[in-house]
Amino acid sequence: MSWFRRRAEEPPPPEEEAPPEPEPEAAIEPEPEPSLEAGVERSRSGFVARLQGLFRGGIDEATWEAVEETLIAGDVGATLALAVVERARRRRDPGGAEAAVQAELAALLLPRPEGEWTPRRPDQTQPAVVLVVGVNGTGKTTTIAKLAARERARGQRVLLAAADTFRAAASEQLEVWAKRIGVPLVTHQAGADPAAVVFDALDAAVARATDLVIVDTAGRLHTKHNLMDELAKIRRTIDKRLPGADPEVLFVLDATTGQNGLAQARAFHEASPLTGIVLSKLDSTAKGGIVFAVEQGLGVPVLFIGVGERLGDLLPFDPRAFVAALFGPAGGA
Amino acid sequence: MFDALSDRLRDALAKLTGHGRVSEADVDTAMREVRLALLEADVNFKVVKDFVARVRERAVGAEVLENLNAGQQVVKIVNEELTAMLSVGDRTFRLIGQPAVVALVGLQGSGKTTSAAKLARHLVKQGRRPLLVAADPYRPAAVDQLMALGRSLDIPVHGAPQGTPVPVIAAEGIAQARKTGRDVVIIDTAGRLTIDETLMAEIRTLAKTVAPCETLLVVDAMVGQEAVTVAEAFRDAVPLTGLIMTKIDGDARGGAALSISAVTGLPVKFLGTGEKTDALEPFHPDRLAGRILGMGDVLTLIERAQENFDERQATQLADKLRRNSFTLEDFLDQMQQIKKMGPIGQLLDLMPGMGGLAKEAQGAVDRGEMKRVEAIIRSMTPDERRDPSLLNGSRRRRIARGSGTTTPDVNRLLKQFGEMQRLMKQLGRGGGRRNLLGLGR
């Protein structure tokens, strides 16, 4: 991270575009600087950069700038975009601006295990538990339906818990899905304690020898302390009822979310440590670039992407395709 | 992270302590941070580019006002430009027609259904008789959701059996409104992606069929760079009249509003500020400008203290001080003012002179003392508020009972107030209102 600091202290980048093919004479000539030390540092880095430019086969300023804008437009975030482009520029063999930046972006994403994701289940005598969380309107319920359909297709016995007792008709929405998929649902009255719903659902799951319980929670803004506490309580309820179940906590992040996505993920991670991210609505024109900052900041991987409203529209996250899509046309995710 | 960003901006600006005129170097330093702040606030990068260019032009060589330094002057210009951009269009919510038809459109999960209910409630308060129309046949239980909200608000909801085309649902809703004497119809449409040709065609037909007098795009405050593309696509499909920005009660900066207003010229008409149905507020461009810049109400305070100091209020206050008639009522007013200014702690950085006072005030808020003081004053009769000397032991006991406090609490407040009155009197003689705020240099 020393990078950002250095960047912050650097003098403003020259506004005028550098010549496409930097000339060696210009490269050697140090620019006048008020402070000697800074001047040396600056001219040295400038010199190295320009020298490298010669070997790079002339990727000009405008190209780098365009790539940087592409990243910003894809919600990668200005600070991270600057850092990524800068790193790409220092690559010995960039092989083109886009390729270099794509390689740097890919390097930001966490390594993920081979093979298909399955919810962890440390104790086979107990059901696996997946807790699905996120702010309002990101697509938690739809994601749960998709996930339930996926697991059911894999032959798992799934049970859904409607722990969103706050939003009007939230449990009805989940009920419609449960019927369509053909899985049981545990629900309480509107306004009931969500932790109680979860407790009952776990009871029912144990009684029915269920393989997997998926818990739908109310959307909550990460800044509402009482609601985040409620989430922590739900988490504790799971730990209490099924000690050692070690639930998966999936955070549903709307791909259209901007820089606030990181603050969201962080707050949820604090309330109940996240084990994975579902990037929803990637079938929109948005690119979901905030996940780079989220994976970097939290060390939690994106597991799935949501690409539509049908049950089959939940796909495993493919880092290479995701990075490439940042540079693709709108909606090309 | 937002705080860190604001701090950086603040630090960068704090170095610009020059007076006289804003130099080009000042502007460069400031604009680099402003650009970053705006981008991190999710303002569209093209909008940021134009904005930075415009501010640079205005700021270079600008005269630094008395009592400000170059950094503050730049912030002032930035803030004015932001406010101007957010002030585009006509923010009036106009209901025309019998019934007046309002349609809400937007992406999935932006908060249309909740906003529809909030808007209905808002209109009821204004003496209107709204009817809600559930025109989302796609999302499971979307109709149930609106029905449940309608029931809780005692506002009728028109729904239709699955498979009814959306324009038909809307037309039926309008017919029902006419029959039942409802004067506003609020149509809640399904969330849709802008690249979904079929669904975009559907709202196009809907808008043509029912010709809403207000078609509002519902936008999530947390949305990123795509806000502009989304807004343009909806604007091209239907005649949008404005925006409702939702979920502003989170900590997103809401740069999307700026992007959309800048590119489409559409005004924000309402803000959704909570999950409950009464959480709908009119939009204030200056407040959002402060939020996007990350300096919140500090700006408002600077402006208020330095520039737009309300002369009438000033004269009144001076008058009161002269006549020693600063009463407990005024004290209550002042407290309300401070409360409205939001998190007082935020003021600390820019207003060193006020640090101690603000910290104390914030502490008082945190400890719930402000509430207690308010309760005590509100338990007094108007006469008592104007003239605390009326307060004998028995009255004090009554007030303590009425406010749920103790007599020592009441005594303490009166003592503090007495001291404050004396202080005000001194300041009144010195004419040092500015010094009170710690702004004088």
Side-chain angles (χ1 to χ4, degrees):
Chain A
M1 280 323 224
S2 61
W3 230 107
F4 291 91
R5 227 167 297 129
R6 183 142 21 111
R7 177 83 199 174
E9 283 157 14
E10 260 171 23
E15 273 305 307
E16 79 280 3
E17 284 172 8
E21 300 281 342
E23 291 159 23
E25 303 92 71
I28 295 155
E29 201 173 282
E31 286 162 50
E33 281 288 333
S35 135
L36 182 67
E37 216 179 289
V40 170
E41 174 59 35
R42 165 111 196 261
S43 58
R44 192 194 296 137
S45 65
F47 173 74
V48 173
R50 284 171 205 201
L51 202 64
Q52 280 173 346
L54 286 177
F55 296 103
R56 261 190 223 126
I59 298 171
D60 61 19
E61 270 312 303
T63 307
W64 288 115
E65 226 166 79
V67 171
E68 186 186 300
E69 277 185 357
T70 305
L71 297 189
I72 292 173
D75 289 319
V76 168
T79 318
L80 190 55
L82 288 174
V84 165
V85 168
E86 198 56 41
R87 259 179 254 160
R89 294 177 74 139
R90 290 184 187 185
R91 278 176 98 88
R92 246 177 228 152
D93 178 21
E98 260 190 42
V101 166
Q102 287 196 16
E104 288 297 335
L105 282 171
L108 288 179
L109 294 172
L110 300 168
R112 46 209 86 221
E114 288 287 306
E116 259 187 276
W117 178 86
T118 53
R120 66 186 177 202
R121 192 180 180 186
D123 182 351
Q124 290 296 321
T125 65
Q126 288 183 351
V129 181
V130 176
L131 181 63
V132 180
V133 302
V135 299
N136 316 64
T138 57
K140 283 178 296 301
T141 308
T142 311
T143 299
I144 286 166
K146 292 172 183 174
L147 202 59
R150 175 186 188 270
E151 292 305 308
R152 190 159 188 278
R154 289 180 52 241
Q156 299 285 295
R157 263 179 307 215
V158 182
L159 181 137
L160 301 181
D164 180 356
T165 56
F166 179 81
R167 206 201 70 200
S171 65
E172 283 86 339
Q173 184 182 349
L174 195 60
E175 201 173 341
V176 172
W177 284 117
K179 277 190 190 136
R180 271 187 215 170
I181 306 161
V183 296
L185 170 80
V186 171
T187 174
H188 280 195
Q189 290 288 321
D193 179 4
V197 178
V198 172
F199 198 89
D200 282 359
L202 297 180
D203 267 351
V206 170
R208 298 179 199 189
T210 300
D211 297 309
L212 170 66
V213 180
I214 309 179
V215 181
D216 188 16
T217 61
R220 62 199 75 222
L221 288 181
H222 53 290
T223 49
K224 309 259 157 118
H225 295 293
N226 54 336
L227 296 180
M228 296 310 279
D229 287 348
E230 181 191 273
L231 191 62
K233 184 181 165 191
I234 293 175
R235 173 61 203 262
R236 284 198 303 275
T237 305
I238 298 172
D239 294 339
K240 211 180 287 173
R241 180 61 188 86
L242 295 181
D246 204 9
E248 297 272 0
V249 184
L250 299 186
F251 174 67
V252 181
L253 178 62
D254 186 329
T256 55
T257 308
Q259 299 309 300
N260 193 242
L262 181 59
Q264 288 175 20
R266 192 164 276 153
F268 276 92
H269 196 49
E270 264 166 38
S272 175
L274 307 176
T275 60
I277 294 164
V278 179
L279 188 61
S280 64
K281 307 185 199 174
L282 208 54
D283 50 330
S284 68
T285 48
K287 307 288 192 187
I290 187 63
V291 301
F292 293 102
V294 174
E295 285 210 357
Q296 279 278 295
L298 268 60
V300 179
V302 178
L303 300 173
F304 292 103
I305 56 172
V307 292
E309 290 181 317
R310 290 164 307 159
L311 286 171
D313 293 334
L314 185 74
L315 304 177
F317 178 75
D318 174 351
R320 200 176 306 160
F322 180 75
V323 168
L326 267 175
F327 296 86
Chain B
M1 113 160 238
F2 284 142
D3 290 345
L5 200 72
S6 308
D7 286 349
R8 264 188 63 182
L9 179 59
R10 208 161 287 185
D11 287 350
L13 294 168
K15 285 180 201 133
L16 311 182
T17 50
H19 294 273
R21 277 182 195 283
V22 180
S23 75
E24 200 158 350
D26 285 345
V27 175
D28 281 341
T29 313
M31 289 333 278
R32 204 152 36 99
E33 298 301 326
V34 166
R35 173 176 179 265
L36 208 54
L38 294 179
L39 287 173
E40 296 289 344
D42 292 321
V43 179
N44 184 274
F45 72 99
K46 287 180 200 150
V47 175
V48 171
K49 235 183 194 175
D50 293 350
F51 179 83
V52 165
R54 199 163 59 246
V55 171
R56 181 190 298 276
E57 197 171 312
R58 233 193 98 184
V60 173
E63 201 178 320
V64 179
L65 289 176
E66 199 188 337
N67 287 330
L68 293 185
N69 61 38
Q72 288 167 329
Q73 185 69 42
V74 173
V75 170
K76 191 171 164 316
I77 295 171
V78 169
N79 186 51
E80 280 167 8
E81 287 289 332
L82 282 177
T83 309
M85 278 170 87
L86 286 165
S87 305
V88 294
D90 180 1
R91 286 196 301 280
T92 332
F93 184 66
R94 266 203 192 87
L95 294 175
I96 302 158
Q98 208 45 255
V101 179
V102 179
L104 302 186
V105 299
L107 297 177
Q108 287 95 340
S110 53
K112 288 174 297 302
T113 306
T114 307
S115 296
K118 287 177 179 178
L119 197 56
R121 179 168 179 175
H122 173 78
L123 292 174
V124 166
K125 260 195 239 148
Q126 299 188 335
R128 291 286 191 153
R129 290 167 49 77
L131 170 81
L132 287 160
V133 174
D136 178 357
Y138 308 107
R139 181 164 61 93
V143 179
D144 294 342
Q145 186 186 351
L146 195 62
M147 293 267 183
L149 288 167
R151 259 198 312 279
S152 73
L153 296 171
D154 206 15
I155 293 168
V157 178
H158 172 75
Q162 282 269 326
T164 315
V166 165
V168 175
I169 302 175
E172 281 174 3
I174 293 168
Q176 196 196 318
R178 284 208 183 96
K179 230 177 340 186
T180 54
R182 294 271 145 185
D183 57 4
V184 188
V185 171
I186 301 171
I187 304 172
D188 175 29
T189 65
R192 64 201 73 221
L193 294 178
T194 52
I195 46 174
D196 188 328
E197 301 285 349
T198 322
L199 287 186
M200 290 309 277
E202 181 194 271
I203 44 164
R204 213 172 286 134
T205 316
L206 172 72
K208 279 198 189 114
T209 318
V210 301
C213 61
E214 288 275 0
T215 307
L216 301 178
L217 178 67
V218 181
V219 181
D220 186 325
M222 296 178 278
V223 76
Q225 295 284 324
E226 279 301 292
V228 167
T229 322
V230 169
E232 283 177 328
F234 275 102
R235 177 205 56 191
D236 293 346
V238 294
L240 291 180
T241 54
L243 313 175
I244 299 183
M245 174 146 271
T246 61
K247 306 180 205 172
I248 198 80
D249 46 330
D251 59 0
R253 288 282 169 82
L258 184 73
S259 310
I260 297 176
S261 288
V263 174
T264 64
L266 289 168
V268 181
K269 295 205 170 178
F270 296 102
L271 294 178
T273 56
E275 290 190 334
K276 305 236 168 71
T277 48
D278 59 351
L280 187 76
E281 288 177 14
F283 173 69
H284 299 284
D286 50 339
R287 286 191 205 163
L288 192 68
R291 181 179 176 130
I292 289 173
L293 200 55
M295 296 203 157
D297 296 323
V298 169
L299 283 162
T300 324
L301 199 82
I302 292 187
E303 296 275 309
R304 207 174 285 158
Q306 304 275 353
E307 289 290 304
N308 306 337
F309 190 69
D310 188 329
E311 282 303 322
R312 193 173 46 82
Q313 223 179 328
T315 334
Q316 264 178 8
L317 189 64
D319 216 38
K320 280 186 168 167
L321 292 172
R322 231 189 341 272
R323 288 182 291 131
N324 193 13
S325 64
F326 181 79
T327 67
L328 281 159
E329 264 174 343
D330 299 321
F331 184 46
L332 195 58
D333 275 354
Q334 294 276 313
M335 263 178 17
Q336 300 297 338
Q337 294 281 339
I338 290 179
K339 250 185 159 164
K340 260 190 258 165
M341 285 174 190
I344 299 169
Q346 278 182 10
L347 307 178
L348 295 175
D349 281 350
L350 270 195
M351 327 211 94
M354 203 171 160
L357 182 61
K359 215 174 244 166
E360 217 157 88
Q362 182 68 55
V365 170
D366 291 343
R367 291 190 299 270
E369 277 170 20
M370 291 282 246
K371 240 186 229 160
R372 202 173 317 148
V373 168
E374 210 181 312
I376 292 174
I377 298 178
R378 289 200 191 284
S379 298
M380 296 176 186
T381 66
D383 278 345
E384 288 166 348
R385 287 180 211 176
R386 279 190 285 272
D387 184 8
S389 67
L390 286 173
L391 294 170
N392 57 25
S394 128
R395 283 180 187 247
R396 288 181 192 207
R397 274 195 298 280
R398 189 204 79 235
I399 290 163
R401 266 202 312 279
S403 57
T405 57
T406 61
T407 321
D409 284 334
V410 178
N411 291 340
R412 203 173 311 125
L413 170 68
L414 290 172
K415 193 172 159 221
Q416 278 170 356
F417 175 71
E419 274 165 19
M420 189 158 169
Q421 225 173 9
R422 215 174 47 240
L423 182 76
M424 293 296 251
K425 211 169 162 188
Q426 281 169 6
L427 288 167
R429 271 200 299 275
R433 166 78 174 159
R434 284 195 168 164
N435 287 331
L436 180 67
L437 289 174
L439 291 168
R441 264 177 180 274

